[in-house]
Amino acid sequence: MSNLKKKVVLITGASSGFGEDAALLFAKEGCKVALSARRMDRLQELAAKIQSAGGEAFAIQADITILADVENMVKSTLEHYGQIDILYNNAGIGRVDWFENHSLERDIDMIIRLNLTALMQVTRLVLPHMLKRRKGHIINMSSVAGLIASPLLASYSASKFGARAFTDVLRREVAPFGIKVSGIYPGPATTEFGQHIGKSETYGSVRKTFDMHMTSAYVARRVLDVAKRPRRSLVIPWWYRVLAAIEALFPVFSDWVLFAFSKINHKLD
Ligand code: NDP
């Protein structure tokens, strides 16, 4: 029997991509899944799909950049299922362009607010409940852009480095109380994420040259593995670990390579 059976999983960003695919997998393992995002129609469709396959799910509409929505999301989950065993902080957005083209509102404030502040806010409201029970697992979605400072992704990379720092600090604070905290660091994957990141010619040609996108279902399967066997971090595909090690140990070398990238691609009018 799966060690996840009957566990309650709260998933943010469950209306598409990794969140949606992970919800299906958690439900298949016998978990009760609380599905949250802004698009209620998508969540209800997903909940119905899970229920018709014999699983347990319910949908909660929440824009997690709004505190009242986060409070309602956590309260509704606790009222509905009585507990939260796993919090999968997954919701996120990005923007691909040279930094001088990032707008303050959509590309800096909103990305930091959703990918970092909201992730911390959701955790802040779920954590007391886990601390009281002396158990729980918090799975935070970062990105390889949270390990490697990536040109074209300034706002996104900043938010994901922040999410990584928060994840590591939290793990060190709550480990003595039986609470596990994991960080997930995927490379590019094909989801709706790509439809909301803007258009960058350079990124488009990098994508064409190195088209190594993972499927959303694959990432979701790996997230499920982490839920079954909690660990501090998961970097996928594995070879990004090598690049992250080079970034950490030889930052001057990384600078040198990425200076060359910018010199070729970053053109001013
Ligand atoms: P999707 O765009 O498919 O999913 C993003 C999810 O976030 C959606 O369910 C969306 O739902 C939700 N969301 C967006 N804004 C808000 C908000 N204000 N409040 C609540 N929910 C919100 O992308 P992915 O599945 O690819 O992305 C999931 C996570 O994975 C993100 O954190 C992303 O940064 C990270 N990631 C993605 C990679 C990729 O290449 N795809 C690579 C590495 C990390 P709705 O619009 O209904 O609110």
Side-chain angles (χ1 to χ4, degrees), residues 38 90-97 102-103 105-108 110-112 114-115 142-143 145 152-160 191-199 203:
R38 293 166 305 174
N90 165 75
I93 51 167
R95 167 78 159 124
V96 177
D97 210 338
H102 287 211
S103 81
E105 205 178 313
R106 160 63 175 80
D107 303 326
I108 302 177
M110 191 43 88
I111 287 176
I112 303 278
L114 178 62
N115 296 3
S142 180
S143 162
L152 293 168
L153 294 171
S155 304
Y156 184 68
S157 221
S159 73
K160 295 297 190 179
T191 64
E192 291 177 21
F193 183 80
Q195 297 164 19
H196 311 296
I197 56 175
K199 291 204 183 333
Y203 182 71

Side-chain angles (χ1 to χ4, degrees), residues 42-162:
R42 298 276 290 256
L43 295 178
Q44 279 168 338
E45 235 174 79
L46 178 60
K49 188 171 170 186
I50 289 171
Q51 285 155 0
S52 67
E56 282 192 64
F58 96 108
I60 321 148
Q61 188 166 35
D63 177 338
I64 59 164
T65 63
I66 298 171
L67 179 58
D69 280 18
V70 177
E71 287 170 342
N72 179 55
M73 175 184 81
V74 175
K75 191 166 158 261
S76 309
T77 308
L78 289 173
E79 277 170 8
H80 203 88
Y81 287 136
Q83 66 199 54
I84 298 172
D85 298 292
I86 299 172
L87 167 62
Y88 176 25
N89 272 317
N90 165 75
I93 51 167
R95 167 78 159 124
V96 177
D97 210 338
W98 303 106
F99 185 60
E100 65 269 21
N101 301 326
H102 287 211
S103 81
L104 177 60
E105 205 178 313
R106 160 63 175 80
D107 303 326
I108 302 177
D109 281 352
M110 191 43 88
I111 287 176
I112 303 278
R113 192 134 50 98
L114 178 62
N115 296 3
L116 180 57
T117 313
L119 178 149
M120 293 172 74
Q121 189 62 269
V122 174
T123 305
R124 195 180 72 88
L125 293 187
V126 171
L127 190 61
H129 162 78
M130 288 184 172
L131 286 170
K132 209 155 129 199
R133 297 176 68 221
R134 294 287 196 273
K135 62 178 173 185
H137 187 183
I138 297 168
I139 302 176
N140 288 339
M141 181 53 76
S142 180
S143 162
V144 289
L147 297 169
I148 300 163
S150 318
L152 293 168
L153 294 171
S155 304
Y156 184 68
S157 221
S159 73
K160 295 297 190 179
F161 265 72

